[in-house]
Amino acid sequence: MKILVAVKRVVDHNVRIRVRPDGSGVETNGVRMSMNPFCKHAVEAAVQLAEAGSADEVVIVSIGPKAANDVILTALAMGAHRGILVESDQSLETLVIAKLLARIVDEEQPDLVLLGKQAVDDDSNHVGQMLAALTDRPQATFASEIKLDGNALEVTREVDSGRETIALPLPAIVTADLRLNTPRNAALPMVMKARSKPLAVRPVAEFGVDLTPRLKVEQVASPPERAAGKRVNSVAELATAIAADINEMEAI
Amino acid sequence: MSVLVLAELDNGALSASTARIVAAASQLGPVDLLVPGPAAAADQAATIAGIAKVIHAKEVVLADGLANLLAGLAEPYTVIAAAASTTGKDVMPRLAAKLDIQPVTDIVAIEAPNRFVRPVYAGNALETVTDGQAKHVLTFRASAFRPAASGNAAPIQPLDAQIASAARFIAAHRTQSDIPDLSTAQIVVGGGVSVGSAEGFKLVEQLGHVLGAAIGATRAAVDAGYAPNDWQVGQTGKIIAPDLYIAVGISGALQHLAGIQGAKKIIAINTDPEAPIVKIADLALIGDLFEILPQLTAELEKSGLKR
């Protein structure tokens, strides 16, 4: 079985982001970048399936600038076998990303595609679902448990009402949630070894996908700040305040 | 501009967020509402103000089936919308790609018929986008909109489409409770990892019970097994906007704060006066939650709140 994992390079999730004063976006110059956390769970799931003997090959694909090599190397150090970078310096919308990934799926014919459920920069939560539509494959989003049984997957998903389990015939698309696993930190020898694994760099133009954005970003702004409130000193005082709030709410 | 909205259902019943999504969507035009569930849900949906017609289909639960159902109906509509719930997130991007549309999701404000505001970077920035496409696929964050009124009697059109799914539903593992729905509750009491155990969460639930509140939890508390995953509030859990949020033993990690940004009033109960949530709370009581909660619950019970 071949698994394809898509990973995204984003502003590190520990960095406190800063909106550019001109409203053109979020400052990414000189900011620490790393693999999107949800993508890391997807890579870990694929590597675990390979280690269990269920998958023969784990292929990593990332779409982004040359620097996105870094996140592919991280995935290779975690145990993936080879990487593909679709190089583009342009910021691309999720529909375009899904179309590019669909081309890669056409070429590679993976049995399973794993992705993070969302990227922590645009928080879109689109690409897995869109790729599933474009490749006409079944999907399971927000996966917190994956069981492979022959040619079928049993996936437990985290949904608003709790969890649910669904069965998917392969080939399929699955997006990872945080409780799927605990991603490993690659040991130094694995990091060294990753550098000798194959990594193909391919210009985005090669794929013939129209990259023109459909949406126009007018501005990016900081949300309104909350002013600090006051302290109460006793439970009685807090209870009175809560009761007053509730009476006010009921009055509206 | 005509709008097709996918109703939000919970275990076959119409969810409280449907009226909020209808209110948002009806700013864009008259709304037809698709209810893929029991007839009772369609009847209830027909009472929501702003709905021109309810389209009632047989129950379809999985994303590929729902996306196919919507795609079959999409042709006459300018806007196809749903809640930014786990269902909406599962279905709408799939539908958008089928229709070759770039969707706009998690909308918290409508600035013009094709201009929308959506949070990015876990709500640490707000992005305003103009959607120049001829057709729009949208999801709205229910908590950001007030519910539409009721009193309507829209006609119900039955739809006899047979929709197949490649995926198969096996089982739902639901959290059984009679507490209010977290994503639309007026009052929420949230517990953090300092609550210490599932037993400790009973104290949070008791306070919630007196207030008629929904119960929330941080990711750390869910990861530790103190609370079920559907209680999780935050960037990857539920986004809530209650009138009152009481944060118990919650430090206020960025991803949790992302989930409560819409709360009108925040009260924090915490041992640490320097905790980030204490700094943004409207009201804070510094102290041990295990001493404070039972006393507070008793005081509020005594005060005879009518909830």
Side-chain angles (χ1 to χ4, degrees):
Chain A
M1 186 170 96
K2 187 198 274 191
I3 305 179
L4 183 73
V5 187
V7 299
K8 185 175 185 184
R9 178 177 181 263
V10 297
V11 171
D12 186 272
H13 71 285
N14 290 315
V15 169
R16 190 164 194 123
I17 58 118
R18 202 164 50 80
V19 172
R20 290 194 201 112
D22 66 358
S24 65
V26 165
E27 193 52 71
T28 52
N29 283 334
V31 172
R32 187 151 60 102
M33 307 289 281
S34 60
M35 194 195 300
N36 176 44
F38 295 96
C39 302
K40 236 177 180 172
H41 291 270
V43 174
E44 178 66 34
V47 169
Q48 284 184 12
L49 283 167
E51 286 170 344
S54 303
D56 324 302
E57 193 181 26
V58 176
V59 181
I60 304 297
V61 56
S62 189
I63 301 169
K66 186 143 220 107
N69 263 340
D70 281 5
V71 295
I72 297 178
L73 284 172
T74 304
L76 295 176
M78 288 170 73
H81 299 94
R82 68 184 162 92
I84 302 166
L85 172 66
V86 178
E87 197 182 337
S88 164
D89 287 325
Q90 209 178 323
S91 128
L92 301 173
E93 286 178 348
T94 51
L95 181 61
V96 171
I97 298 289
K99 286 178 179 177
L100 290 166
L101 290 176
R103 300 289 168 95
I104 301 275
V105 167
D106 263 359
E107 289 177 10
E108 295 283 341
Q109 294 293 324
D111 302 282
L112 174 63
V113 184
L114 280 162
L115 307 91
K117 72 165 182 180
Q118 74 190 64
V120 297
D121 49 5
D122 59 31
D123 280 335
S124 286
N125 198 326
H126 296 165
V127 174
Q129 297 87 312
M130 290 177 140
L131 178 62
L134 297 174
T135 57
D136 202 21
R137 294 177 173 206
Q139 73 188 48
T141 51
F142 327 123
S144 61
E145 208 182 324
I146 300 174
K147 276 190 225 152
L148 183 67
D149 180 13
N151 204 36
L153 277 181
E154 203 173 286
V155 178
T156 298
R157 315 173 51 225
E158 299 209 351
V159 293
D160 287 338
S161 58
R163 290 175 301 129
E164 66 180 35
T165 305
I166 62 175
L168 304 173
L170 292 176
I173 313 283
V174 174
T175 75
D177 213 325
L178 292 174
R179 275 178 283 271
L180 181 58
N181 52 42
T182 309
R184 68 195 70 192
N185 283 317
L188 188 60
M190 290 297 284
V191 175
M192 300 308 288
K193 205 173 148 196
R195 297 195 177 277
S196 59
K197 291 182 177 178
L199 201 172
V201 179
R202 300 172 58 182
V204 71
E206 196 179 288
F207 294 86
V209 170
D210 179 7
L211 310 178
T212 318
R214 308 278 186 91
L215 307 178
K216 181 168 186 265
V217 177
E218 305 285 352
Q219 68 151 0
V220 176
S222 293
E225 272 193 41
R226 288 191 99 96
K230 57 175 194 173
R231 295 279 168 82
V232 287
N233 296 311
S234 71
V235 173
E237 223 181 307
L238 184 61
T240 308
I242 290 173
D245 280 342
I246 289 174
N247 285 332
E248 198 182 314
M249 251 182 252
E250 297 290 305
I252 295 168
Chain B
M1 215 149 128
S2 58
V3 185
L4 177 64
V5 170
L6 172 66
E8 180 74 14
L9 295 162
D10 181 16
N11 200 23
L14 199 69
S15 152
S17 58
T18 300
R20 293 171 181 257
I21 304 312
V22 169
S26 50
Q27 294 182 39
L28 306 173
V31 172
D32 288 355
L33 185 74
L34 172 65
V35 181
D43 291 343
Q44 201 193 337
T47 66
I48 300 173
I51 290 179
K53 175 172 81 180
V54 170
I55 302 169
H56 177 222
K58 287 204 185 72
E59 187 172 45
V60 182
V61 289
L62 294 176
D64 51 347
L66 278 167
N68 288 342
L69 179 61
L70 283 164
L73 295 169
E75 208 275 320
Y77 295 100
T78 313
V79 177
I80 305 164
S85 60
T86 48
T87 303
K89 286 176 176 167
D90 202 21
V91 175
M92 298 311 269
R94 184 168 183 126
L95 170 72
K98 275 178 90 76
L99 302 176
D100 194 31
I101 294 170
Q102 172 66 37
V104 184
T105 52
D106 248 314
I107 294 167
V108 294
I110 300 170
E111 289 206 334
N114 67 346
R115 189 176 306 131
F116 310 104
V117 181
R118 60 179 304 267
V120 292
Y121 288 92
N124 289 304
L126 292 169
E127 181 182 80
T128 306
V129 297
T130 299
D131 178 355
Q133 300 168 104
K135 216 185 207 22
H136 314 290
V137 173
L138 313 174
T139 71
F140 296 104
R141 204 174 260 190
S143 56
F145 299 90
R146 287 274 161 203
S150 60
N152 195 356
I156 299 174
Q157 176 196 319
L159 188 74
D160 209 17
Q162 286 296 330
I163 297 290
S165 247
R168 187 167 50 86
F169 189 81
I170 298 180
H173 322 280
R174 303 174 60 83
T175 307
Q176 291 301 333
S177 74
D178 50 2
I179 50 182
D181 172 45
L182 182 57
S183 36
T184 52
Q186 209 178 9
I187 305 178
V188 175
V189 184
V193 78
S194 326
V195 173
S197 64
E199 280 309 298
F201 251 86
K202 295 269 183 286
L203 294 176
V204 177
E205 289 172 65
Q206 280 157 13
L207 174 60
H209 182 71
V210 175
L211 299 172
I215 309 299
T218 62
R219 180 164 89 81
V222 174
D223 281 348
Y226 304 163
N229 74 285
D230 52 315
W231 286 6
Q232 186 182 319
V233 170
Q235 182 188 12
T236 75
K238 291 198 173 100
I239 308 284
I240 61 170
D243 291 331
L244 176 62
Y245 182 62
I246 303 180
V248 179
I250 290 174
S251 65
L254 274 181
Q255 89 91 30
H256 186 75
L257 296 182
I260 62 167
Q261 259 166 3
K264 288 203 183 56
K265 187 159 191 177
I266 299 173
I267 293 178
I269 298 171
N270 208 301
T271 46
D272 176 11
E274 298 301 319
I277 202 158
V278 171
K279 294 192 169 152
I280 62 151
D282 299 280
L283 215 57
L285 177 59
I286 304 303
D288 181 353
L289 69 96
F290 295 102
E291 286 168 21
I292 293 172
L293 282 190
Q295 289 177 39
L296 181 62
T297 304
E299 286 272 349
L300 287 165
E301 241 168 1
K302 250 191 337 207
S303 74
L305 281 171
K306 283 191 193 63
R307 289 285 301 169

